[in-house]
């Protein structure tokens, strides 16, 4: 007797066991498919949200802020400059759409409070 006929006769004899194993495998596979589809959908949603927000990052030189006894603040900054070649190397690393080389700095002077008004 070959194995196909033997398997068919076993399934006919043990119907309850065969149905319960089939249902168990079907439920487990259904949950696995649902979990993987939720995982794929959440990754796509996270990617869409990141793209829609227009995330940004800043490259700044490290600064040191020191306060003296009179309460005056002194800001020291490293004079590190980023060249165009370094900017191009950073852009080649990932999905960076564009860059805006704005230079921020600190201002100190006697007339600055008048400019705020």
């Amino acid at each position: 007797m070959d194995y196909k006929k033997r398997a068919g006769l076993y399934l006919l004899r043990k119907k309850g066991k065969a149905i319960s194993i089939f249902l168990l495998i079907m439920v487990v596979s259904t949950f696995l498919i649902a979990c993987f589809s939720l995982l794929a959908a959440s990754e796509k949603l996270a990617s869409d949200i990141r793209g829609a927000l227009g995330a940004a990052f800043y490259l700044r030189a490290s600064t040191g802020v020191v306060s003296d006894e009179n309460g005056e603040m002194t800001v020291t900054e490293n004079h590190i400059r980023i060249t165009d070649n370094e900017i191009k190397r950073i852009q080649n690393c990932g999905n960076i759409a564009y860059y805006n080389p704005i230079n921020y700095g600190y201002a100190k002077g006697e007339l600055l409070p008048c400019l705020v008004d």
Side-chain angles (χ1 to χ4, degrees), residues 66-114:
V66 179
S67 177
D68 62 0
E69 302 87 33
N70 298 333
E72 292 188 18
M73 305 288 273
T74 305
V75 178
T76 60
E77 182 176 348
N78 295 333
H79 295 288
I80 300 172
R81 301 291 178 241
I82 299 174
T83 64
D84 288 333
N85 291 334
E86 291 169 341
I87 291 173
K88 288 176 185 173
R89 284 179 52 206
I90 292 170
Q91 277 187 316
N92 291 334
C93 291
N95 295 329
I96 300 173
Y98 64 92
Y99 72 98
N100 188 1
I102 296 174
N103 191 6
Y104 293 100
Y106 296 98
K108 181 178 178 182
E110 300 295 326
L111 298 176
L112 286 179
C114 298

Side-chain angles (χ1 to χ4, degrees), residues 2 5 9 16-17 37 42 46 51-52 60 75-76 100 107 115:
D2 70 345
K5 188 174 182 181
L9 290 173
K17 189 185 272 188
S37 65
S42 65
R60 296 182 183 157
V75 178
T76 60
N100 188 1
L115 297 175

